[in-house]
Amino acid sequence: MSARWRARFSAASSGATRSSSAAMTGSVRPPEMTADDVCGFLSRMDARGIHVWLDGGWGVDACLGDQTRPHSDLDIVIEERHLEVVTIALKRLGYEPVPRPDTRPWNFVLGHDTGRQIDFHVIVLDERGRGLYGPPGTEDHYPAEALIGKGTVNGRAVDCITPEWLVRFHTGYRVDAMDWADVSALCARFGIPIPREYLGFL
């Protein structure tokens, strides 16, 4: 896994997204992306025939079939060919770009003044079903087997990153207690070995 790929997760784990949310709202109370918010977003995508995969914290909870903690944002994986339609639709709903030092065309955040945020991970599917993630010629990708996950949010069936790959994507950076909560729940439910980064939590 390259440094560029790992940086995606270290930025999230550092609290950069949560901090920018608080700055947008001027509130000391952490904003929350609720299950109803997630289902509402997915319904809008369904109406436009756009397929997305849940990643990050909501991807974990979708695999588990239950919400285990509050979420400040919604991480999604989406094909580049759908990007313009989705961003235009969200901007009409009041979403605007959230400045971050790690913003890239393939990884950026749109936020609402209510504090809700959507973190985009943009891919191009290749002939092998892999989701290429990054600039042209990148070697970083979501493996095809990572994109076949199934889960539920509020009883709604959703596509998501598979548990095994969610665990892998929670490695390669300085992990914290929130990461451990996600990883330990996935490992316990799906019989996945605990990565060495987490052995200190045992």
Side-chain angles (χ1 to χ4, degrees):
M1 185 177 289
S2 75
R4 184 170 67 242
W5 184 254
R6 287 197 303 271
R8 174 195 149 195
F9 302 100
S10 62
S13 101
S14 71
T17 300
R18 291 188 291 274
S19 297
S20 59
S21 295
M24 285 179 62
T25 61
S27 171
V28 296
R29 180 182 179 185
E32 184 175 354
M33 177 68 78
T34 68
D36 286 341
D37 293 331
V38 174
C39 292
F41 170 76
L42 293 175
S43 293
R44 291 187 179 94
M45 297 302 98
D46 288 347
R48 292 168 172 80
I50 294 173
H51 180 209
V52 300
W53 296 262
L54 301 191
D55 197 355
W58 268 116
V60 171
D61 281 356
C63 287
L64 296 171
D66 190 30
Q67 184 173 355
T68 61
R69 61 176 174 84
H71 300 282
S72 62
D73 65 356
L74 171 65
D75 290 83
I76 64 168
V77 178
I78 186 169
E79 291 183 68
E80 182 182 51
R81 64 193 178 100
H82 296 313
L83 199 55
E84 183 176 7
V85 171
V86 174
T87 55
I88 288 174
L90 287 174
K91 287 178 180 179
R92 286 174 178 166
L93 293 172
Y95 282 82
E96 296 292 342
V98 175
R100 296 195 316 182
D102 63 336
T103 293
R104 302 289 186 273
W106 55 89
N107 182 201
F108 59 91
V109 173
L110 295 182
H112 195 273
D113 61 9
T114 58
R116 294 191 297 271
Q117 293 192 343
I118 300 176
D119 192 342
F120 284 76
H121 306 289
V122 183
I123 62 172
V124 175
L125 291 177
D126 68 8
E127 68 281 356
R128 296 162 60 185
R130 303 181 307 170
L132 302 181
Y133 176 76
T138 184
E139 295 181 1
D140 291 333
H141 62 276
Y142 284 82
E145 60 268 26
L147 299 173
I148 58 173
K150 302 292 181 183
T152 59
V153 175
N154 262 5
R156 175 196 173 106
V158 300
D159 292 325
C160 54
I161 305 304
T162 60
E164 294 80 7
W165 279 97
L166 283 167
V167 169
R168 292 195 195 193
F169 291 160
H170 277 73
T171 63
Y173 59 88
R174 183 178 296 178
V175 299
D176 60 20
M178 186 178 294
D179 296 311
W180 168 239
D182 288 346
V183 166
S184 60
L186 289 170
C187 290
R189 175 71 63 85
F190 298 100
I192 301 168
I194 294 174
R196 65 179 182 275
E197 288 94 332
Y198 295 90
L199 295 180
F201 288 94
L202 296 175

